[in-house]
Amino acid sequence: MALTEQMESQGAWLFKYRSILPLIIFAIGIVLFLNNESNPENWILETNLQESLYELTCLLVAFLGFFIRIYTVGYSRPNTSGRNTEHQVADVLNTTGIYSIMRNPLYVGNFFMWLGIAMLTGNFWFIIAFTLFYFLYYERIIFTEEQFLKNKFGHTYLEWAQKTPIIVPKFSSFKKADYNFNWKKVLRQEKNGLAALLILFCLFDIGGEMVKEQRNFNETLYFAGAASIILYFILKFIKYNTKLLQDPE
């Protein structure tokens, strides 16, 4: 099998099972985090205030990624930038808005979301390893997606790809989105990400306090996590039982 065909085949498989990556990060990350919490001498932050500020920084990094996803999904065309896993879907080629400054904004958003989780471990080498693994993992997926887009949109795709960076944004080339922001699409697609993100932060906080045999829980974080779960089920009910979140035909 030629190298390009091998990369495309690997990318298709990774695309289908790309949701496994967060589980790997969480499994390894929680072990390292609990080890730090049970051995405070290994933790460079000495006070509760410093630790709280660091955790807030991690949360902000994660929410930066979530905001990138919201912006991307909200200004993307229908049947593009979705959560499909079985096969590639793109009715049109997005080239304006955030897609005018980089070709893969959703994966950049995912990176920051999971970087926030990785940072919680407080393990410098794990953060570096995660970053390298993430880009090696998604390199194949991006290759496969670009082969699909090149075959479907031909010269239009090649012309856009030639002037638009893969992941590092080129802000000078920004073009206003030619599609109005679609809150319905955002609510349909991103409810999962918000709930998962806050739940993971809650689990890290609970685990850390239990290891330290303390009860200094972050009640604000738990309230936000509980609210995100309630919102998730409300939106899920609306999605499958009403037409409120459907796009106009």
Side-chain angles (χ1 to χ4, degrees), residues 6 40 42 81 108 150 152 154 171 192-193 212-213 247:
Q6 187 176 6
N42 297 333
S81 301
V108 172
K150 182 175 69 173
K152 182 163 186 176
F171 294 103
N192 309 47
K212 292 185 294 186
E213 297 183 349
D247 294 323

Side-chain angles (χ1 to χ4, degrees), residues 165-215:
I166 298 175
I167 55 174
V168 180
K170 183 181 178 183
F171 294 103
S172 61
S173 63
F174 177 79
K175 293 181 180 179
K176 184 179 178 181
D178 57 6
Y179 192 69
N180 293 329
F181 192 84
N182 188 343
W183 273 109
K184 292 183 178 180
K185 187 177 182 181
V186 170
L187 293 174
R188 287 197 311 268
Q189 291 189 196
E190 299 308 306
K191 61 184 186 300
N192 309 47
L194 176 62
L197 183 62
L198 290 172
I199 289 171
L200 287 178
F201 270 84
C202 288
L203 291 175
F204 270 87
D205 189 73
I206 292 171
E209 293 305 310
M210 293 183 68
V211 165
K212 292 185 294 186
E213 297 183 349
Q214 297 179 4
R215 295 294 182 270

Side-chain angles (χ1 to χ4, degrees), residues 33-45:
F33 174 75
L34 294 177
N35 179 64
N36 263 350
E37 292 294 288
S38 60
N39 297 281
E41 65 275 6
N42 297 333
W43 188 234
I44 60 174
L45 303 178

Side-chain angles (χ1 to χ4, degrees), residues 90-146:
D91 286 355
V92 295
L93 183 65
N94 290 306
T95 59
T96 60
I98 198 167
Y99 282 99
S100 65
I101 64 175
M102 57 178 155
R103 303 204 299 265
N104 296 278
L106 286 178
Y107 295 152
V108 172
N110 289 347
F111 170 71
F112 282 109
M113 287 179 70
W114 289 104
L115 177 63
I117 299 293
M119 288 171 58
L120 275 178
T121 65
N123 188 302
F124 175 77
W125 294 113
F126 175 71
I127 297 170
I128 297 299
F130 156 74
T131 302
L132 293 175
F133 176 71
Y134 184 92
F135 284 104
L136 287 174
Y137 188 95
Y138 273 95
E139 178 188 38
R140 297 292 195 275
I141 295 176
I142 290 172
F143 178 85
T144 301
E145 288 185 342
E146 296 205 337

